[in-house]
Amino acid sequence: MDILWEGLPVFSFAVQTIESRIASLWDNYFHVSEFVYGKRGVCVPQPKNPILHLQGHVIAEKIKKRELTCEETSKAFIERIHQVNPLLNAVVGDRFEEAIAEARYIDKVLDSDAPECDERKSFLLGKPLLGVPVTVKESLACKGLSHTVGLVDRKDAIASEDAKVVENLRKAGAIPIAVTNCSELCMWCETGNQLYGRTNNPYDSSKMAGGSSGGEGSIISAAGSVCGVGSDVGGSVRIPAFFNGIFAHKPSPSVVPSDGHEPEAGTVASSEFLGIGPMCRYADDLAPMLKAMAGPNARELGLDEEVDLSYLKIYTVHQSHFPLLTSKLVDSELLERQKQVCNFLEQHFCATVRDAGIKSFKYSPLIWIAMCSFSNDKLGAKLEHYRKETEKINPAVEIFKSLIGYSKYHWATMSVLLTESFHNSYPGAFWKFFEVGSRMREDIQDLLGNDGILLYPSYPHTALAHQRCSLAPMNFSFPGIFNVMHLPVTQCPLGVNSNGLPLGVQIVAGKNNDKLSIAVAKQLEKEFGGWKQWYPGKSSNP
């Protein structure tokens, strides 16, 4: 173990050097993905219907005031999905007819003057998200729709009831209209699987939408949905939100229920790592969505309380402490925009910016692996439960078959199985990183307290060409480390780079201080523009 510990920086340097060399060849000479996806893809057309530009909570208020009908609102988003989904492949199941029927019922009650409708009308008017169309990641059960998690072994799985979070959204008045694509078993940072194919980025269809909640990120950014639900155990709402230029929030542990999610969180430890979070185009929708999704548990977060950002403490991490085994450099435009964020907060809120001084960030990939491995919630057992074959999986063989196109599994899923096999054979191999992670969790919580935030890169690069993330699989640890640190994180868009692709940053707060990171995101949206109602590439009208 000591040899591994001491040799890690050298090994990391070798990995980074190889990755950067291959990436240079990939991007500048071989253009591998161009044979399949084209040198530059197309972007979705501008959303013209004014309803598509409204915030979710504004939609609810307009419906209550009868400035909008619930039916016309649902139809606007459904029509937009029909327009953009052929290009994006984000929506993989819908309940459009049922959603319109539910919308018509709401309109009928609200428009009725009959005395017997007064009680029902009052009941509906009390719902904070009344009539707001929402989409749901396919890994979360939505009654009557597919619930496969992109796994061939579950191709016939249909949800018999709603996941608890979907049930909570319905109680708040929201109307689920569709489920969206995810990576196989939510195990990879690009959304694609053998059942539904690959999801594209609305800014440039030759770019990845991120994962595992990539369908949500893509369709929300394309204005096919205003708000949605994703899940996050290693950056799975934040990576796609970043690549697609929208907001997302990974909440504090165990606040939003994960019942009805596949793979399920079978232990207390794994349920604390898995965050079911909102994904939205507008920062003002994060808190209403989070409250609705959490149900009674939302009281723990005090989301209705005023947040004073005066004398905010801002922490950053020096580049020398960015994770080992990841890409050699973080894009300069991302670091420059983060610096601009610091300057803005300093000038407007008397904030102080300082280095967090936590060197353990270097070990983020191995800390995440170690802490997840010790959760005793094994993917292998779950996969065997899903499968119909009696023959046991050989992950090494399946990885090879996957790379040449002959496996029904994704190589990333099989890589997780290999890691589990290694841990089962050598259970003490990652123990030192588990200890480092446990100390780091205490240090970072003490550092942030109730008035501190940490600004941290969401990912080393903006949206990459399809498959390109395979060259540096450990890049997920930029967001993933905060799952095992038990911290809430808001992903905030910050405009676009010189190539017209979204920039962004993670805003990390202390445990149960979700309202602080969301409040900061609202301020940054005002300053840097948030979601851009503009797409840079050649537009397509599918």
Side-chain angles (χ1 to χ4, degrees), residues 134-357:
V134 297
T135 44
V136 179
K137 184 180 181 180
E138 202 254 13
S139 62
L140 284 150
C142 191
K143 186 176 180 179
L145 297 184
S146 63
H147 191 209
T148 67
V149 208
L151 191 66
V152 171
D153 295 310
R154 285 176 58 88
K155 61 182 172 59
D156 299 320
I158 301 294
S160 58
E161 58 184 19
D162 286 330
K164 184 63 179 177
V165 67
V166 177
E167 180 186 323
N168 286 346
L169 281 169
R170 287 183 188 270
K171 288 178 180 178
I175 300 177
I177 58 174
V179 291
T180 54
N181 205 14
C182 60
S183 57
E184 182 182 276
L185 289 176
C186 302
M187 289 291 160
W188 187 226
C189 60
E190 176 166 16
T191 291
N193 54 68
Q194 299 283 42
L195 279 181
Y196 298 120
R198 182 171 286 108
T199 296
N200 299 322
N201 191 301
Y203 286 83
D204 181 344
S205 61
S206 71
K207 299 293 189 291
M208 56 190 283
S212 59
S213 309
E216 280 299 304
S218 178
I219 201 64
I220 292 171
S221 177
S225 175
V226 64
C227 301
V229 185
S231 62
D232 188 316
V233 76
S236 289
V237 300
R238 288 162 289 156
I239 293 174
F242 168 55
F243 285 167
N244 294 285
I246 63 170
F247 292 88
H249 183 75
K250 185 203 82 65
S252 292
S254 305
V255 173
V256 178
S258 61
D259 311 55
H261 185 273
E262 291 290 346
E264 65 178 345
T267 66
V268 173
S270 60
S271 66
E272 290 179 332
F273 300 158
L274 174 63
I276 310 298
M279 302 176 71
C280 316
R281 270 183 285 141
Y282 304 105
D284 280 344
D285 284 330
L286 288 172
M289 277 289 289
L290 182 55
K291 283 174 61 182
M293 290 164 61
N297 292 345
R299 290 191 294 266
E300 298 177 27
L301 303 181
L303 294 169
D304 291 328
E305 298 172 6
E306 289 291 326
V307 179
D308 183 6
L309 296 182
S310 300
Y311 302 101
L312 184 70
K313 295 176 183 175
I314 303 171
Y315 297 95
T316 59
V317 175
H318 193 271
Q319 296 178 59
S320 62
H321 298 150
F322 285 165
L324 300 171
L325 305 174
T326 60
S327 291
K328 194 171 185 179
L329 297 172
V330 174
D331 288 352
S332 60
E333 287 180 281
L334 290 170
L335 295 176
E336 177 59 29
R337 189 55 55 91
Q338 181 175 308
K339 184 178 178 181
Q340 293 171 9
V341 168
C342 290
N343 292 338
F344 166 72
L345 294 174
E346 279 184 308
Q347 293 169 10
H348 288 77
F349 299 103
C350 300
T352 56
V353 180
R354 63 194 73 172
D355 190 288

Side-chain angles (χ1 to χ4, degrees), residues 18-72:
I18 293 171
E19 185 264 338
S20 63
R21 295 286 174 83
I22 296 177
S24 178
L25 293 172
W26 183 303
D27 295 337
N28 298 313
Y29 297 101
F30 296 153
H31 303 295
V32 175
S33 63
E34 292 181 15
F35 292 109
V36 180
Y37 308 107
K39 186 171 184 179
R40 184 181 178 88
V42 293
C43 67
V44 297
Q46 291 281 348
K48 295 180 181 178
N49 190 324
I51 294 175
L52 301 177
H53 294 278
L54 296 175
Q55 298 170 323
H57 69 96
V58 172
I59 288 174
E61 287 304 310
K62 285 183 174 292
I63 288 173
K64 291 175 183 180
K65 294 176 180 177
R66 310 312 291 145
E67 296 172 4
L68 275 179
T69 69
C70 198
E71 182 178 356
E72 70 178 317

Side-chain angles (χ1 to χ4, degrees), residues 28 44 82 136 174-175 178 249 275 312 411 422 425 445 451 470 499 504:
N28 298 313
V44 297
H82 283 310
V136 179
I175 300 177
H249 183 75
L312 184 70
W411 67 266
F422 178 80
S425 301
Q445 181 60 57
D451 59 355
S470 302
N499 293 319

